[in-house]
Amino acid sequence: MKLSHPLRSVVLALLLCPTFALPQGLKPLELPVPQTSGGKPLLEALKDRHSPREFSPQKLSPQILSNLLWAAFGVNRPDASKRTAPSAMNWQEIEIYVATSEGLYVYDAKANRLDPISAEDVRAATGTQSYVKDAPVNLVYVSDLSKTGRASGEESLMYTSADTGFIAQNVYLYCASEGLATVVRGSIDRPALAKVMNLMPDQKIILAQTVGYAKK
Ligand SMILES: Cc1cc2nc3c(=O)[nH]c(=O)nc-3n(C[C@H](O)[C@H](O)[C@H](O)COP(=O)(O)O)c2cc1C
């Protein structure tokens, strides 16, 4: 049986580090069916897109989280092989990890589910700026370079960075449409975060993105 990357990370972590916090009690979170119509007209969302950096601790509802992840990189065609953001050669190599106060999950777009990775609250480790720990959700965009085929190291990094940018912009536009606050972030201690997330060597953290409600 070939394990998906996030599962391989957990198995590897258990073998190498017996103290790794198993997501005990954390079950896969089945997300509500995403709402795929409505919202602000595109041009209004573009007008409102910006990067606030002060977040209220107010949580996102399961419905809003589901909508957000669908907008980011959900399945948008009936055959389930294509997504809301393009990717070079349709690699679909970007995995969206979701860090909340309850733990760390990874988004399974086809199943519309969050799979648990760790029961730890790792929000503070997802960035170097203090606001990351206050916001209810930090998305971490991880590229699975094992899916980038025979592209050279430089080429796959360039393409995978571009692929991440499309997802991040989808999140910006969804947030602008729904009155949520978001900021995409490159300022991350990547080696430290990769360790906390138990990533495999070919899983690279590209960017993170904080999402929540603006502090009033
Ligand atoms: C690739 C990239 C990395 C960024 N990294 C950070 C970051 O680490 N921390 C931060 O507060 N903002 C970060 N930003 C947000 C930019 O600072 C912000 O988009 C810019 O100042 C323009 O502001 P606006 O988004 O409100 O138009 C990043 C943006 C991009 C595109």
Side-chain angles (χ1 to χ4, degrees):
M1 182 178 66
K2 191 165 189 280
L3 292 176
S4 68
H5 255 311
L7 268 184
R8 277 165 57 203
S9 303
V10 172
V11 171
L12 195 76
L14 281 171
L15 290 174
L16 297 178
C17 173
T19 57
F20 173 64
L22 240 192
Q24 272 168 10
L26 267 195
K27 297 195 178 88
L29 288 181
E30 304 293 339
L31 293 165
V33 175
Q35 292 164 329
T36 60
S37 62
K40 279 185 193 166
L42 174 63
L43 297 183
E44 274 181 41
L46 283 167
K47 202 146 51 82
D48 290 344
R49 189 215 63 81
H50 69 299
S51 301
R53 292 178 182 80
E54 283 187 78
F55 292 84
S56 122
Q58 186 186 338
K59 291 187 179 179
L60 305 190
S61 70
Q63 185 67 63
I64 295 286
L65 187 58
S66 174
N67 299 351
L68 170 79
L69 292 166
W70 179 81
F73 201 30
V75 171
N76 75 345
R77 273 158 277 183
D79 69 357
S81 68
K82 299 284 174 67
R83 316 279 286 268
T84 53
S87 62
M89 286 163 267
N90 197 23
W91 284 335
Q92 302 187 16
E93 80 285 11
I94 304 300
E95 293 155 348
I96 305 182
Y97 283 76
V98 181
T100 72
S101 59
E102 277 91 45
L104 179 69
Y105 300 82
V106 65
Y107 176 50
D108 180 334
K110 285 192 178 134
N112 192 40
R113 192 178 64 214
L114 288 178
D115 290 325
I117 297 292
S118 158
E120 268 180 76
D121 179 355
V122 302
R123 286 175 299 167
T126 67
T128 59
Q129 290 159 293
S130 60
Y131 60 76
V132 304
K133 66 177 185 334
D134 304 326
V137 169
N138 283 280
L139 306 176
V140 182
Y141 302 125
V142 174
S143 176
D144 178 355
L145 291 177
S146 72
K147 292 186 180 164
T148 61
R150 284 177 299 166
S152 72
E154 194 186 341
E155 206 175 45
S156 61
L157 264 186
M158 185 177 63
Y159 287 160
T160 208
S161 303
D163 292 347
T164 305
F166 289 109
I167 295 171
Q169 181 70 350
N170 282 356
V171 169
Y172 264 115
L173 291 177
Y174 176 76
C175 289
S177 171
E178 294 303 312
L180 293 165
T182 190
V183 55
V184 72
R185 299 184 284 99
S187 177
I188 303 164
D189 182 341
R190 287 178 176 76
L193 181 57
K195 206 164 163 200
V196 164
M197 293 172 70
N198 288 291
L199 297 182
M200 307 281 288
D202 48 8
Q203 285 183 292
K204 297 290 174 211
I205 296 165
I206 308 296
L207 293 170
Q209 190 158 12
T210 304
V211 181
Y213 293 94
K215 205 180 223 173
K216 298 232 166 83

